[in-house]
Amino acid sequence: MMKSITLKDFFVEVPRWCEGCGNYNILATVKKFLVDHQIAPEQVVNVSGIGCSGRMSNYLNTYGIHAIHGRPITMGLGLKLAGKGLKVFIHSGDGDALSIGGNHLVHGIHRNFDCVFLLYDNQTYALTKNQTSPTTPMGCKTVTHPKGVGAVPLNAVLLALGAGASFVATTADCLKDHLYSTIQAAYEHRGFSFVHVLQRCAHYDTNHFNHLFHENRSFLVHEDGIPVATDYAEKTQIIRHDPKDLENAFKLANESKNHLGLFYRDSNKPCFEDFLLEEGKKTQQKPRGSILDPYKINLMS
Ligand code: SF4
């Protein structure tokens, strides 16, 4: 009988985040998802960037790379193209993904390689002690802008939709069931699954996320969307939204309210690796002599 996979199989060490950090919930949810679906540690690679979320690859007993700043997408793509069939999870913070790695994020989305991309958005560079990140709210005082941030925060969902993401969802670390269902839907989608996670920073939080527990949130619901637990739904506004409706997804993403749920999914968008790996097989089949022969490639005429 095959040994079943348990939480112990993913344990490395006790995490060293601050007490109350939202990262604990995200780590626990990823582990629970892997155990529930009996996905073995050797089937998975976790790649992370720099920041508090960067520790995720260290705290999960799977293959893993703690990449350089802003480059976990590059590593994830390379691993996917190695064609070993690994399930790729990418963990990146708002600074890592939207500032230093912004260019890589756009092209990762554009190439639509198959991965679960988790954007840990705590609206600050927490590891470097509360510097302004691209999503820090306007007017918020940080160590780099002690008089307040002078720019409107970057809208990550709008960016992902605009770059052509085939899967875009928002959830929050504090909504465990919703986070779990979102990770599940992202995992089941083939392509670049962009999951925007509103993540509480217990240390530097300046009440950025109070609205998540109160009035300024709503759930997007649809039979093809992400299920919402009844106890959340009772306290919150519910908006019906078909995740195939890109125009409405843009409209919702543009609103100031925090919409949680699936904005968009296109299951038919081709994956980059399918094309490239297929092309690679064809090239390997050609004898190398014919590729290098100058007469055959017509350089000598
Ligand atoms: Fe978490 Fe914030 Fe502490 Fe970093 S600084 S570990 S994000 S609570």
Side-chain angles (χ1 to χ4, degrees), residues 165-176:
S166 60
F167 181 104
V168 182
T170 293
T171 183
D173 79 76
C174 56
L175 304 170
K176 273 193 180 174

Side-chain angles (χ1 to χ4, degrees), residues 16-24 51-53 55 120 122 124-130 199-205:
R16 289 191 296 157
W17 290 306
C18 308
E19 198 181 331
C21 177
N23 287 342
Y24 286 103
C52 295
S53 61
R55 291 173 179 261
Y120 294 60
N122 58 15
T124 181
Y125 277 93
L127 193 70
T128 45
K129 304 191 186 305
N130 202 24
Q199 179 244 317
R200 290 162 302 161
C201 170
H203 196 72
Y204 294 113
D205 178 55

Side-chain angles (χ1 to χ4, degrees), residues 258-270:
N258 278 293
H259 295 303
L260 301 151
L262 185 56
F263 284 82
Y264 186 64
R265 176 171 49 212
D266 174 2
S267 307
N268 297 320
K269 191 168 181 178

Side-chain angles (χ1 to χ4, degrees), residues 153-279:
L154 195 143
N155 184 328
V157 170
L158 215 47
L159 175 80
L161 290 169
S166 60
F167 181 104
V168 182
T170 293
T171 183
D173 79 76
C174 56
L175 304 170
K176 273 193 180 174
D177 295 350
H178 194 261
L179 174 65
Y180 184 97
S181 304
T182 308
I183 290 174
Q184 169 145 352
Y187 183 86
E188 286 167 358
H189 173 75
R190 273 211 82 224
F192 194 102
S193 298
F194 181 90
V195 180
H196 179 217
V197 187
L198 301 169
Q199 179 244 317
R200 290 162 302 161
C201 170
H203 196 72
Y204 294 113
D205 178 55
T206 47
N207 301 324
H208 300 170
F209 289 118
N210 270 355
H211 50 258
L212 275 179
F213 303 97
H214 303 297
E215 72 290 352
N216 195 27
R217 74 175 192 200
S218 68
F219 285 107
L220 305 178
V221 295
H222 192 268
E223 46 278 20
D224 296 330
I226 289 161
V228 179
T230 342
D231 54 332
Y232 300 159
E234 276 169 4
K235 297 173 203 143
T236 316
Q237 189 195 0
I238 297 291
I239 296 175
R240 207 177 142 70
H241 166 65
D242 182 347
K244 286 191 204 76
D245 187 344
L246 183 59
E247 198 181 327
N248 199 44
F250 271 108
K251 192 173 149 284
L252 290 164
N254 234 335
E255 292 173 0
S256 57
K257 204 170 186 117
N258 278 293
H259 295 303
L260 301 151
L262 185 56
F263 284 82
Y264 186 64
R265 176 171 49 212
D266 174 2
S267 307
N268 297 320
K269 191 168 181 178
C271 286
F272 188 64
E273 66 270 25
D274 290 350
F275 175 77
L276 230 66
L277 292 172
E278 205 42 52
E279 284 304 296

